[in-house]
Amino acid sequence: MVKHFLGLLLGPLFLVASCQSHSADEFIKLEELTIAEIHLAYQSGRYNCQNLVSKYIQEMAKKDENLQAITIVNPLALSRAKLLDEEYMKTKKLRPLHGIPIIVKDNINTVGLPTTAGSFALEHFIPDENAFIINQLEKAGAIVLAKSNMAEWAFSPMHTNSSLGGTTRNPYNLDYVPAGSSGGTAAAVASNFALGGLGTDTGNSIRGPSSHCALVGFRTTIGLISREGIVPLFLRNDVVGPMCRTVEDATKMMEVMVGYDSLDQVTAHSIGKSANNYTQYLQKGGLEGSRIGVLREVSEANVDPEIKALFEVALEDLDSLGADVIDPILIPNFAFLSEGNWCSVFRKDVEKFLKDYVKNDTIRTMEDIIRIGTTAPISQQRLEAYASKAGRWGKGDSACLGAYQDEKRIAFRMAIENMMDSLALDAIVYPSWNKKPARIDFFEEEYGGDNNQIIAPHTGQPAFTVPMGYCSDNLPVGIQFLGRMYDEPTLIKLSYAYEQGTQHRKAPQASVINE
């Protein structure tokens, strides 16, 4: 099991890490570190890449036993850090993400490390090539520090449980879920195990866990970032993106991943529409003069009173920070347009991944995956359901196509963007969840209010979640900004200004993680 690998690796790596300079360690305060702060430290000589990687490995060794966020630590992380230190000593130049340790969700291909999607079927799959985005991040200087647990096959938005990684807990309250499926990345980044991380999002899985763990999560426009080399759930909905503690760091990670990839043709739609410099939109006054629409049809749907109260405060904050808040807005035929968009295409997508990447004659089909088995009840249910039924769920039998071809998805998107144009809106806001995080022991019964699933996965539009505050039991809550296709610059501007004006993010209490 991969968790077994974690124990084997953390032991020797912890010893190596402990042998790094103790004087340098004294200068490294991991809590809420940012890319800018790390680069200043490198330039001043206070510590180097190796010192930082060592410190993060020590932190994981001390704290991850209770969280179960990490599946494997990269045994080559310190070697890569050494090379980056040597490069800086020669050139005195830092790459955009030079020496920045990141966590990678365990469905993203990384050379030399298992990519399992939490499953027994892929337990021994070790890719010989990186996913496109990993190459982009490493070219920018990032260090893959570790891989994270996930809801097996990315099936569950409710919690993060897998056959290989067990159950990940929320670092703000260990009795609660971090949501799914990127809960391992969320718990790790929130706990300061790395600077940031990667999640994937079919319907919820970047924004949901980010909201539950007081993080910033970017679901970008479908087509902006390549999904090549990533175990798919529904490729017609899938995106990959950053999960970080700040909008600035998420923007810096996103920026280096953007680009056309011939192996993921949906990225051809981004040609001529992406920006060369996204960090220029990190403006503290970015909300001044903006127009923000409030989608009450979403925010009022069976909402928890505590979430509603926090959202009303957030709207007041947006107003005080200079936004013109249009409340409410109405999208014509919203209830009708938002229904019937989900399609079961897992068999087609995963079998192509097995053929193109895994290349193992004993694991070629859904039936092989089912035969190998799982210990996760939700995975068993979903595997059997997806094996027996393909096509559109619920009403309608039209073809299941991509965001740029599917008539239902296009109609939904056009209704939203036409309304935005008519009111000159810059973005639409609503809570990322209308309900609090569920308790782990009751994750199915208490799951609800997942607003992440309703719009962006179907329309293809970008949607960013940012911390909005905390409800009872110290549980984080997020606000979501929805924008037009390829209008990440505006969402960066708005979400950064809101974050800087409210400063809701705080680290989990060490006493909670160390219980």
Side-chain angles (χ1 to χ4, degrees):
M1 292 174 63
V2 174
K3 270 291 181 187
H4 178 57
F5 293 154
L6 175 62
L8 289 175
L9 283 168
L10 271 179
L13 281 173
F14 180 75
L15 290 175
V16 172
S18 298
C19 292
Q20 299 293 320
S21 168
H22 289 292
S23 60
D25 279 0
E26 294 173 7
F27 292 106
I28 305 178
K29 306 301 181 186
L30 294 181
E31 188 167 299
E32 306 303 283
L33 262 182
T34 66
I35 292 172
E37 289 168 345
I38 290 169
H39 281 176
L40 281 174
Y42 290 166
Q43 290 169 326
S44 69
R46 288 172 60 224
Y47 55 82
N48 61 22
C49 303
Q50 295 170 83
N51 301 141
L52 183 61
V53 167
S54 299
K55 187 79 169 181
Y56 275 128
I57 291 172
Q58 292 173 41
E59 193 75 358
M60 285 187 283
K62 288 189 295 185
K63 295 183 177 179
D64 191 56
E65 182 177 356
N66 287 335
L67 289 178
Q68 294 196 84
I70 301 300
T71 56
I72 189 166
V73 176
N74 184 359
L76 299 179
L78 279 167
S79 298
R80 176 160 169 76
K82 183 174 184 291
L83 291 174
L84 288 164
D85 283 336
E86 291 169 349
E87 176 184 309
Y88 179 67
M89 291 298 291
K90 290 178 183 177
T91 66
K92 296 301 178 184
K93 293 181 180 179
L94 292 173
R95 305 190 211 181
L97 299 180
H98 197 104
I100 300 301
I102 61 170
I103 304 292
V104 176
K105 186 177 180 179
D106 194 23
N107 60 349
I108 301 171
N109 282 354
T110 41
V111 170
L113 296 174
T115 296
T116 74
S119 70
F120 288 140
L122 297 183
E123 182 173 5
H124 303 294
F125 171 52
I126 299 179
D128 53 15
E129 292 184 5
N130 284 326
F132 177 88
I133 55 162
I134 299 299
N135 284 333
Q136 295 292 95
L137 287 160
E138 289 192 338
K139 284 177 189 174
I143 299 171
V144 175
L145 181 64
K147 298 195 77 171
S148 59
N149 193 28
M150 58 181 285
E152 192 166 324
W153 297 110
F155 284 158
S156 177
M158 295 182 279
H159 79 152
T160 294
N161 171 265
S162 70
S163 294
L164 296 177
T167 298
T168 301
R169 296 179 177 273
N170 190 316
Y172 288 86
N173 190 320
L174 298 180
D175 292 332
Y176 289 78
V177 300
S181 62
S182 309
T185 297
V189 175
S191 303
N192 292 285
F193 290 175
L195 182 285
L198 293 176
T200 58
D201 190 316
T202 304
N204 161 85
S205 300
I206 289 171
R207 294 158 297 144
S210 293
S211 176
H212 277 15
C213 293
L215 296 179
V216 173
F218 285 6
R219 180 187 168 99
T220 55
T221 304
I222 288 181
L224 188 69
I225 296 174
S226 170
R227 294 87 44 86
E228 184 277 329
I230 299 174
V231 182
L233 177 49
F234 303 150
L235 198 57
R236 66 193 291 274
N237 301 95
D238 292 348
V239 301
V240 61
M243 301 168 67
C244 295
R245 291 182 292 271
T246 70
V247 173
E248 180 174 343
D249 287 345
T251 300
K252 289 177 177 179
M253 279 189 67
M254 182 200 81
E255 186 171 73
V256 304
M257 293 191 283
V258 170
Y260 170 69
D261 175 15
S262 62
L263 295 179
D264 184 4
Q265 277 300 310
V266 75
T267 59
H269 291 279
S270 71
I271 296 173
K273 298 171 186 170
S274 60
N276 293 322
N277 175 6
Y278 286 96
T279 57
Q280 67 180 302
Y281 301 104
L282 295 165
Q283 301 169 13
K284 287 187 177 181
L287 279 164
E288 294 175 7
S290 66
R291 289 175 60 83
I292 308 291
V294 182
L295 188 54
R296 292 287 179 182
E297 197 162 353
V298 169
S299 69
E300 294 290 321
N302 197 24
V303 63
D304 182 280
E306 286 190 69
I307 307 294
K308 178 177 172 60
L310 288 169
F311 184 58
E312 297 303 328
V313 172
L315 297 180
E316 293 174 6
D317 289 336
L318 289 169
D319 178 77
S320 67
L321 290 166
D324 186 2
V325 178
I326 316 303
D327 183 10
I329 59 167
L330 296 174
I331 298 168
N333 300 315
F334 180 80
F336 172 76
L337 291 168
S338 62
E339 290 183 350
N341 289 296
W342 286 111
C343 288
S344 174
V345 292
F346 179 67
R347 176 190 283 275
K348 174 175 68 74
D349 291 343
V350 80
E351 288 182 354
K352 186 176 189 304
F353 181 90
L354 296 174
K355 178 177 180 290
D356 292 348
Y357 297 99
V358 180
K359 302 175 184 177
N360 183 331
D361 288 341
T362 67
I363 312 171
R364 296 183 296 109
T365 67
M366 281 276 287
E367 285 69 27
D368 290 328
I369 294 171
I370 292 170
R371 169 180 52 80
I372 292 167
T374 175
T375 62
I378 288 179
S379 295
Q380 186 67 36
Q381 295 165 13
R382 298 289 173 89
L383 286 168
E384 291 173 357
Y386 296 155
S388 62
K389 185 181 185 303
R392 195 173 294 276
W393 301 350
K395 300 176 183 178
D397 56 1
S398 57
C400 295
L401 302 175
Y404 297 91
Q405 300 83 27
D406 191 300
E407 291 182 1
K408 280 186 65 64
R409 300 175 74 177
I410 293 169
F412 192 11
R413 178 168 69 246
M414 291 303 295
I416 294 170
E417 294 198 344
N418 287 342
M419 180 277 302
M420 292 179 71
D421 290 344
S422 71
L423 296 176
L425 296 182
D426 294 292
I428 297 169
V429 294
Y430 43 86
S432 295
W433 292 78
N434 278 358
K435 295 291 186 184
K436 304 172 191 174
R439 290 172 293 174
I440 287 175
D441 291 342
F442 304 94
F443 73 89
E444 290 182 284
E445 301 94 319
E446 295 180 358
Y447 170 72
D450 184 354
N451 294 331
N452 303 288
Q453 310 267 0
I454 299 171
I455 302 175
H458 311 299
T459 63
Q461 294 166 263
F464 295 0
T465 187
V466 181
M468 186 171 72
Y470 302 81
C471 57
S472 54
D473 296 314
N474 195 38
L475 296 168
V477 177
I479 185 173
Q480 196 151 151
F481 292 80
L482 176 80
R484 293 176 177 82
M485 296 288 278
Y486 296 101
D487 199 12
E488 279 79 7
T490 296
L491 290 193
I492 290 167
K493 189 187 302 183
L494 301 178
S495 59
Y496 180 73
Y498 174 77
E499 172 201 56
Q500 293 298 302
T502 57
Q503 296 290 328
H504 286 304
R505 162 73 196 175
K506 62 184 180 184
Q509 297 174 10
S511 59
V512 172
I513 300 174
N514 293 327
E515 282 181 358

